[in-house]
Amino acid sequence: MGIQSRPFSALIAVFCLLLASCANDTVGVASKADQEALIQKAAVAAPNIQAGDKIRVTVFGEDRLTGEYQVDPAGFVSLPLAGTVKAAGLSKQQMERTLASKFSGEYLRDPKVTVDLASFRPFYILGEVNKPGEYDYKSGLNIVSALAVAGGTTYRASTSNIDIQHVGENGFKKYPISSNIPVLPGDLIRVPMRYF
């Protein structure tokens, strides 16, 4: 009997280790304050430029400088005449002033520059959804609409909680599945399996 129980004990030990390793990347449950802060962050009308965003630069009267430019993973963007410019963390207005300064002088006299966000970083969804993957971010996106974009949840999915890791965070936090919870550009969303 002792010999037969060893494989069973080993199987239980492996199962416990797997459960523990799955939980290690979840930082914790998002508090009400975390949820309110997330809602406030999503409500900001003009978010700052981030790595992975695409910006549209318009220099009035200078078609050769006008175009869409991708912000690289390090947060820089390369433009003709301006060279490589740090863009991540700047607001649209700050980027406009930076580029106007770069273009002025020997190249242009008093350049009029506007900067718009052409597209945001994508968000990612994985776990118990029908179509996991990378999706384009659109303003006003929330958890319920993100799940719809990913083809809905599988029959094994949790119906109450979802895990989200925002850019710059070290792990996932649990949030309730609710249309009140916004999705931000670059979010990593994981739909956990429910316990039967």
Side-chain angles (χ1 to χ4, degrees), residues 1-13:
M1 181 151 174
I3 295 174
Q4 290 177 348
S5 66
R6 282 186 188 159
F8 183 70
S9 299
L11 183 61
I12 288 178

Side-chain angles (χ1 to χ4, degrees), residues 72-150:
D72 69 21
F76 291 87
V77 64
S78 296
L79 295 100
L81 299 182
T84 302
V85 179
K86 179 74 171 172
L90 298 180
S91 69
K92 287 177 22 164
Q93 294 80 11
Q94 290 170 324
M95 190 66 183
E96 289 168 355
R97 287 192 297 272
T98 299
L99 291 179
S101 165
K102 290 279 190 180
F103 289 138
S104 66
E106 60 186 81
Y107 302 118
L108 301 172
R109 211 173 260 165
D110 194 28
K112 304 291 185 235
V113 180
T114 60
V115 174
D116 293 302
L117 279 169
S119 64
F120 294 97
R121 289 163 291 162
F123 71 95
Y124 304 87
I125 189 163
L126 54 100
E128 296 299 324
V129 290
N130 290 311
K131 295 187 289 186
E134 173 185 302
Y135 292 94
D136 291 335
Y137 177 83
K138 293 180 177 49
S139 293
L141 194 68
N142 62 44
I143 290 298
V144 174
S145 54
L147 290 173
V149 167

Side-chain angles (χ1 to χ4, degrees), residues 159-178:
T159 56
S160 57
N161 292 315
I162 197 161
D163 300 332
I164 304 175
Q165 181 177 355
H166 303 294
V167 173
E169 292 182 349
N170 293 329
F172 289 93
K173 285 186 182 175
K174 282 200 175 310
Y175 289 88
I177 294 179
S178 165

Side-chain angles (χ1 to χ4, degrees), residues 57-69 79-82 103 107-108 111 113:
V57 177
T58 305
V59 183
F60 293 103
E62 297 294 331
D63 291 341
R64 70 182 193 274
L65 299 177
T66 297
E68 290 188 359
Y69 302 93
L79 295 100
L81 299 182
F103 289 138
Y107 302 118
L108 301 172
V113 180

